[in-house]
Amino acid sequence: MSISIKKSILTFGLVSFAAALMLLGGCKSPTEKSRAAKMDKAAENLIEAQENYVKEYEAFKIEANIRITENEKTIAKLKADSKNKSKATKAILDKRLTELENQNQRLKDKLRDPKEEGNEKWEAFKLEFKHDMDNLGQALKDLTKNNTK
């Protein structure tokens, strides 16, 4: 399920819950009204947290997609440059480029539908994804350096 659908379902549920609390709030004691107010505040906080998560995820996704596209361009350039190499060098370079291309595609797929829910898992997902992306970027840089020698 996409983030926007999850957000819509969660928002609808929370708004419905808050509305039900308000309707029932008219015939409650002061203590019950206080509890209802706390529940309303908790619902608002939950909605705000979900909205912040969606914004953060979208920004993260944009940044990651830019890096993935840059990797694709670098791989294409290196593949084009490998045509001018000896057969042995070209074979080694093409094999490594295919591995890096597959890594890049796996990152692209992983980014498309992260299954991480909750702040702790989301932070772990971002950390691991950034680590993998940095390793791929470094491997491409190393390959570029070796290719120019």
Side-chain angles (χ1 to χ4, degrees):
M1 200 179 316
S2 76
I3 300 276
S4 61
I5 293 172
K6 286 181 184 178
K7 179 184 174 195
S8 297
I9 291 171
L10 179 63
T11 302
F12 177 74
L14 290 174
V15 169
S16 298
F17 178 71
L21 285 177
M22 284 183 215
L23 287 174
L24 295 173
C27 32
K28 292 186 177 184
S29 69
T31 304
E32 290 172 329
K33 286 182 181 179
S34 174
R35 261 192 225 134
K38 287 179 184 176
M39 294 293 285
D40 287 345
K41 184 65 176 167
E44 288 174 17
N45 289 343
L46 189 56
I47 290 170
E48 184 179 332
Q50 182 66 19
E51 289 171 351
N52 288 340
Y53 166 77
V54 170
K55 287 177 188 174
E56 184 180 348
Y57 172 72
E58 290 302 320
F60 181 83
K61 187 175 176 179
I62 289 168
E63 180 184 325
N65 277 323
I66 289 169
R67 289 184 67 186
I68 288 169
T69 301
E70 288 171 358
N71 291 343
E72 289 170 344
K73 289 176 183 176
T74 301
I75 290 168
K77 182 183 180 320
L78 288 169
K79 279 185 174 183
D81 292 347
S82 75
K83 292 178 182 178
N84 301 327
K85 305 291 180 185
S86 69
K87 276 189 176 183
T89 303
K90 183 181 179 334
I92 293 169
L93 190 57
D94 286 348
K95 180 181 178 190
R96 184 66 180 134
L97 286 170
T98 299
E99 291 168 358
L100 295 175
E101 191 172 36
N102 289 338
Q103 270 185 300
N104 201 49
Q105 184 60 46
R106 280 192 299 276
L107 287 170
K108 194 176 194 177
D109 294 342
K110 190 176 183 180
L111 182 64
R112 188 176 309 124
D113 189 29
K115 295 173 178 54
E116 309 307 328
E117 303 263 340
N119 193 45
E120 191 173 302
K121 288 183 179 180
W122 167 241
E123 292 301 324
F125 171 83
K126 287 192 310 186
L127 187 64
E128 180 183 346
F129 190 91
K130 285 180 181 180
H131 177 265
D132 293 346
M133 185 64 77
D134 291 343
N135 284 345
L136 177 59
Q138 188 60 49
L140 286 169
K141 283 181 185 176
D142 291 347
L143 201 55
T144 303
K145 287 178 191 174
N146 291 340
N147 196 32
T148 57
K149 289 182 182 178

